[in-house]
Amino acid sequence: MCGIVGVVSTTPVNQLIYDALLLLQHRGQDAAGIVTQQERKFFMHKAKGMVKDVFRTRNMRALPGTIGLGQVRYPTAGNAESEEEAQPFYVNAPFGIVMVHNGNLTNAKQLREELASTDHRHTNTESDSEVLLNVLAHELGRSTSGVPLTTQDVFKAVRAVHKRIKGSYAVIALIAGYGLLAFRDPYGIRPLCLGKGADGTWVLASESVALEGTLHTLERDVAPGEAVFISTDGQVHSEQCAENSVLNPCVFEYVYLARPDSTMDGISVYQARLNMGETLAKRVISTVPPAEIDAIIPIPESSRPSAMQLAQLLGIPYREGFVKNRYVGRTFIMPGQGARKKSVRQKLNAIGSEFKGRNVLLVDDSIVRGTTSKEIVQMARDAGANKVYLASAAPPVRHPNVYGIDMPTRAELVAHGRTVEEIRQVIGCDALIYQDVDAMKQAVGKINPAVKGFEASCFDGVYVTGDISEADVLALNEGRNAGAQEESQDTSRLSLPNAQEQ
């Protein structure tokens, strides 16, 4: 999962792209990069680290131009330690293209072989994004036949790209001297939206918060399979370039990944989380009598809307029982269980008065490995809780994700191959309540009836692209970084800070 942004303006764009990336920082903290274009020349700076650390004043001054793009990276394919795999990626032919990508190609290995043997193009990293860029470059070269590039040439190339690549992808590419190209996979798995400023500036971004936070108005979402081309003079062209496109956004965006103040595909993330709290209430009542719960306490941060709605519907006091230290560095590569436990205690501290002598219901947005959930439950007991119940606003995570979320392998998922009672015993809570899969989809989907389905493979095992086999899942997990396998979560789920921290 990554955050991407692209801008076409009449004024310098370096600061605007920087500001937008800060608003998307929750989508990736491993690396950041910006490319701008002045006349036909690209200016690039990228490095591992957070946006505020990667870009200093001298770097910003070296990024002139009125058109550009940027990315914050969270690696789900390739080498997480490689500085070279920070985006944007660049190829010099045809025309000169730089590109940023959010998602994950499921046929990258096959495409890499085709690029070498048939297209005669070289890739120098393990990143699937570099593969995607070279496929796009090859198809652009084929579509132009040596004549100046036209909008229809661009759309013809994107149609060919859709036919070759599989998986999830939201892409923004800058073609030297021509303009900014954006397109989205035919299932709309990864988000991408378009906004406009009062001065005529056009902005493309992963989430609407990057538009609103930079004083731009959300115009619309890029449709599944659609390509949008914005010329250097600000003219916008769009065309549907995929056959049989259907909107199936990733439901985990609404559960956890996106900021609550974003709207994606017509669905407010905050409202989606409120709705999940509402449906969760019915599950809680059927498991634990509300009279036996003294307080409902969220596990910071993104479970708060669900916990608040749950407390209101059950008529139980909502309390903040955990304080999160926002200034502790990332700890997901800590080796060993002992270090993992220590890192949780450094990030969260219990307020003893909210637990002592009480039966508390802890609410989390999702449970992935269960190791951190187990530690948090023990923290509540150590703080004096009489009974500790745990509710997840999302269903059990039983399957790996192959579309751009660094979800652990099956063996690492606490819910894989276990009943709810067996999971409860592992975590050590007095009762464990999970959201229902269908209820979750309905809770999110009713906000925008035009969304007919969701990519929810980590919950239901259904891969919407229809081309993922058991062998594919195993192969895609082989390349997981050893450090990420050891500790791929932060606080209670994945190795990402909660969106509300940003």
Side-chain angles (χ1 to χ4, degrees):
M1 187 192 77
C2 303
I4 60 176
V5 61
V7 179
V8 176
S9 184
T10 57
T11 58
V13 297
N14 54 351
Q15 186 66 51
L16 173 54
I17 296 173
Y18 176 92
D19 293 342
L21 290 181
L22 282 178
L23 292 162
L24 296 174
Q25 185 74 85
H26 60 287
R27 299 189 68 86
Q29 304 83 47
D30 280 273
I34 293 176
V35 165
T36 58
Q37 177 189 297
Q38 188 175 56
E39 297 178 348
R40 294 183 66 91
K41 186 176 181 180
F42 292 141
F43 298 84
M44 181 188 300
H45 179 68
K46 61 180 182 177
K48 287 180 63 63
M50 307 279 273
V51 174
K52 64 181 178 61
D53 299 318
V54 168
F55 298 100
R56 304 294 185 180
T57 301
R58 65 181 181 277
N59 307 128
M60 296 297 288
R61 287 175 176 167
L63 293 169
T66 59
I67 181 170
L69 47 75
Q71 192 222 38
V72 286
R73 178 181 186 239
Y74 180 78
T76 57
N79 185 351
E81 301 303 317
S82 173
E83 189 93 15
E84 294 180 355
E85 293 193 14
Q87 295 187 34
F89 277 110
Y90 164 76
V91 291
N92 70 338
F95 312 111
I97 308 169
V98 285
M99 188 200 79
V100 289
H101 164 223
N102 173 33
N104 197 52
L105 303 190
T106 57
N107 65 334
K109 182 178 179 180
Q110 173 190 336
L111 288 170
R112 197 181 303 276
E113 293 171 354
E114 290 178 5
L115 285 169
S117 63
T118 306
D119 300 344
H120 303 151
R121 299 191 70 93
H122 174 70
T123 55
N124 202 48
T125 72
E126 296 302 312
S127 172
D128 63 334
S129 300
E130 188 189 16
V131 170
L132 199 161
L133 170 59
N134 276 274
V135 171
L136 173 62
H138 180 75
E139 297 303 336
L140 272 172
R142 291 182 62 191
S143 69
T144 57
S145 301
V147 299
L149 184 68
T150 68
T151 301
Q152 286 307 309
D153 291 333
V154 173
F155 294 150
K156 179 181 178 182
V158 174
R159 283 193 290 272
V161 169
H162 282 319
K163 291 178 180 178
R164 292 186 65 180
I165 65 178
K166 299 177 182 179
S168 65
Y169 47 96
V171 174
I172 304 176
L174 177 54
I175 306 171
Y178 289 96
L180 203 66
L181 167 66
F183 56 94
R184 196 174 174 193
D185 70 72
Y187 296 89
I189 298 172
R190 299 266 73 86
L192 190 63
C193 60
L194 175 67
K196 188 178 184 182
D199 62 352
T201 295
W202 289 99
V203 181
L204 287 144
S206 294
E207 295 185 31
S208 64
V209 68
L211 309 178
E212 295 156 355
T214 55
L215 303 181
H216 294 81
T217 301
L218 173 64
E219 294 284 312
R220 64 182 182 87
D221 294 280
V222 176
E226 181 186 20
V228 175
F229 183 71
I230 307 175
S231 60
T232 53
D233 61 358
Q235 297 299 309
V236 179
H237 310 268
S238 63
E239 188 169 306
Q240 176 55 250
C241 295
E243 300 174 359
N244 304 316
S245 62
V246 57
L247 181 57
N248 282 279
C250 174
V251 76
F252 212 76
E253 293 275 359
Y254 304 99
V255 170
Y256 172 66
L257 298 178
R259 277 181 49 147
D261 46 346
S262 284
T263 298
M264 299 184 302
D265 293 309
I267 298 174
S268 160
V269 176
Y270 184 75
Q271 187 61 54
R273 292 174 185 171
L274 288 175
N275 290 359
M276 283 187 279
E278 183 176 331
T279 56
L280 184 60
K282 300 172 185 177
R283 305 281 292 186
V284 171
I285 291 172
S286 66
T287 307
V288 181
E292 294 183 11
I293 303 172
D294 297 315
I296 292 178
I297 297 174
I299 297 174
E301 306 269 351
S302 49
S303 63
R304 282 187 172 129
S306 296
M308 287 190 293
Q309 190 75 346
L310 177 63
Q312 180 179 347
L313 290 172
L314 297 184
I316 298 171
Y318 171 91
R319 293 287 185 267
E320 291 287 343
F322 295 104
V323 176
K324 189 167 188 175
N325 184 353
R326 301 172 186 269
Y327 305 103
V328 172
R330 297 178 65 196
T331 55
F332 69 94
I333 56 172
M334 288 282 191
Q337 185 70 13
R340 180 183 295 124
K341 289 183 178 181
K342 181 181 178 182
S343 72
V344 175
R345 298 280 179 157
Q346 288 177 331
K347 286 179 174 289
L348 285 181
N349 188 50
I351 302 173
S353 59
E354 296 301 329
F355 292 94
K356 191 172 183 179
R358 290 180 172 176
N359 296 339
V360 297
L361 173 61
L362 307 182
V363 180
D364 211 344
D365 53 62
S366 57
I367 301 169
V368 181
R369 293 174 182 267
T371 51
T372 310
S373 300
K374 179 178 180 179
E375 183 66 13
I376 291 173
V377 167
Q378 188 58 49
M379 287 174 63
R381 295 197 190 281
D382 293 344
N386 181 32
K387 287 188 176 182
V388 182
Y389 309 120
L390 178 62
S392 170
V397 177
R398 299 188 185 278
H399 309 275
N401 183 285
V402 301
Y403 297 124
I405 302 174
D406 190 25
M407 198 68 72
T409 59
R410 283 193 177 96
E412 299 170 284
L413 298 172
V414 69
H416 180 69
R418 291 189 177 99
T419 65
V420 173
E421 173 58 21
E422 289 170 338
I423 302 168
R424 183 198 67 77
Q425 292 176 12
V426 170
I427 293 174
C429 51
D430 294 291
L432 177 61
I433 304 100
Y434 274 110
Q435 180 78 268
D436 177 74
V437 175
D438 290 336
M440 173 193 65
K441 292 179 180 179
Q442 292 170 9
V444 180
K446 70 181 182 181
I447 301 171
N448 181 10
V451 179
K452 301 301 182 182
F454 293 94
E455 197 297 301
S457 56
C458 57
F459 302 116
D460 61 15
V462 177
Y463 297 96
V464 296
T465 55
D467 54 9
I468 302 298
S469 66
E470 179 66 20
D472 293 326
V473 174
L474 292 175
L476 288 165
N477 274 289
E478 283 179 0
R480 280 177 47 82
N481 179 272
Q485 289 186 33
E486 179 62 36
E487 185 72 43
S488 67
Q489 59 183 345
D490 180 356
T491 303
S492 57
R493 294 149 298 272
L494 305 173
S495 51
L496 300 165
N498 283 289
Q500 290 173 321
E501 291 183 50
Q502 307 305 318

